[in-house]
Each structure stands twice: as structure tokens, then as C-alpha cells.
Amino acid sequence: MAEFPQFNGFYQEGNYQSESRVHLGNVISLRQGGMVVAAIHDAPLLGAAAMMASLRDQVTRAREGGLRSSEIQEATVTVSNLGERGSDRIQGVIFPPQVALLGIGRIRSAPWVQEQKVVPMTLASFSLAADHRVSDGHDGARLLNRIDKLLQQPETLE
């Protein structure tokens, strides 16, 4: 998100305020119904293992009613992963005053043509809902392309 500041911040009172720190909001489905968005503060400073541990901890505490108020107020961008519920694709809705939501569908195997051969490929669909007052489709495509490139080389994420 640091490379794409137009997707990391808040639009309030007619102005956009980009945030230098990334507090990654995660949509958590509550067992009793409804959902909450909990923020992992300074997400880029965590490695993949620490990020997953933080996410698991937040999911547990959210479902037990134990999130801190700062965790539900300070997300600068949100990720919604409905893939675990079997959805191939997500068309997200921005969580104001944030300006972007990244949707992630389920990981699945599908046929893929590579070098004139059909091979199995592991795929996941990503979508982006963004506030056009601060970004455009070209910027969104660049962000999604960057995510794709990073996921092609997961060892670079640590």
C-alpha cells in the first residue's frame, strides 16, 4: 500500500488524507451474525507468519467480544476474504471513510494455458472497490497487478 497511497487513507469533509502507516482492516464474520472490521496496525512491518498470527488472534477475540477500540477504528484499507466461504469472487463495498477495499475469492485449481499446453493452475480472484474521488481504474489496475506479481513470488513477502 505504501506504493499506492491513493488507496490507503480517509476521505472526510471533502478532502482525502493519505496515511503513511498501513493499518490493514480485515472483515471478520461474527458467529452470532454481523461482521466487524479489525485493523492489524503497521501491517507492512510484520512478516507473513506474524501477520497470520495477528489475524487468527483478532478473529478469536472478535468472536469473543474482546477487540480493543483502536482495532475497530483505525483501519486505513480493508481486505475482505470470502473465499473461505466458497465465493469465487467478491464485489466489495468501501467502508467509509476509507477509500479502498480489496476482495479476495477462494483459492481454487483451474485449467490454464501455458506455453500452448493446458496445465492445472492455482488461482484466486482479487477485486478492488475504490473511491473515484482519489483514484481511478488505471491506478486500481496497477495495484492489482502489483499484488499479482508479489503473489507469484511469495518468498519476497517475508
Side-chain angles (χ1 to χ4, degrees):
M1 295 312 295
E3 294 177 43
F4 299 90
Q6 63 273 40
F7 299 108
N8 187 59
F10 306 100
Y11 193 90
Q12 296 173 306
E13 300 177 14
N15 294 304
Y16 176 62
Q17 176 61 48
S18 177
E19 292 292 324
S20 59
R21 297 167 61 192
V22 178
H23 304 314
L24 186 63
N26 295 287
V27 178
I28 300 171
S29 174
L30 302 175
R31 288 198 176 104
Q32 65 273 27
M35 56 121 229
V36 66
V37 175
I40 296 175
H41 292 104
D42 296 310
L45 302 179
L46 302 175
M51 177 79 72
M52 291 307 298
S54 291
L55 180 58
R56 280 189 295 274
D57 172 59
Q58 280 187 337
V59 168
T60 299
R61 287 186 299 111
R63 292 179 175 160
E64 294 172 353
L67 289 175
R68 294 180 293 275
S69 62
S70 63
E71 291 176 297
I72 57 174
Q73 296 175 357
E74 296 181 356
T76 58
V77 62
T78 294
V79 173
S80 181
N81 178 1
L82 289 175
E84 66 182 22
R85 301 279 188 230
S87 295
D88 285 333
R89 292 178 182 80
I90 299 165
Q91 184 57 51
V93 177
I94 301 167
F95 189 68
Q98 294 173 29
V99 297
L101 181 137
L102 184 65
I104 306 172
R106 73 179 172 95
I107 298 170
R108 64 197 185 282
S109 183
W112 193 262
V113 177
Q114 189 171 353
E115 297 177 9
Q116 302 299 318
K117 295 181 182 175
V118 177
V119 297
M121 179 70 73
T122 302
L123 302 173
S125 295
F126 284 69
S127 63
L128 176 68
D131 189 327
H132 276 261
R133 294 175 292 183
V134 296
S135 66
D136 60 32
H138 179 76
D139 291 336
R142 289 179 47 238
L143 171 62
L144 291 171
N145 190 329
R146 180 70 174 127
I147 291 168
D148 179 51
K149 297 285 188 244
L150 287 169
L151 292 175
Q152 297 298 322
Q153 300 174 340
E155 66 277 1
T156 66
L157 298 175
E158 285 295 327

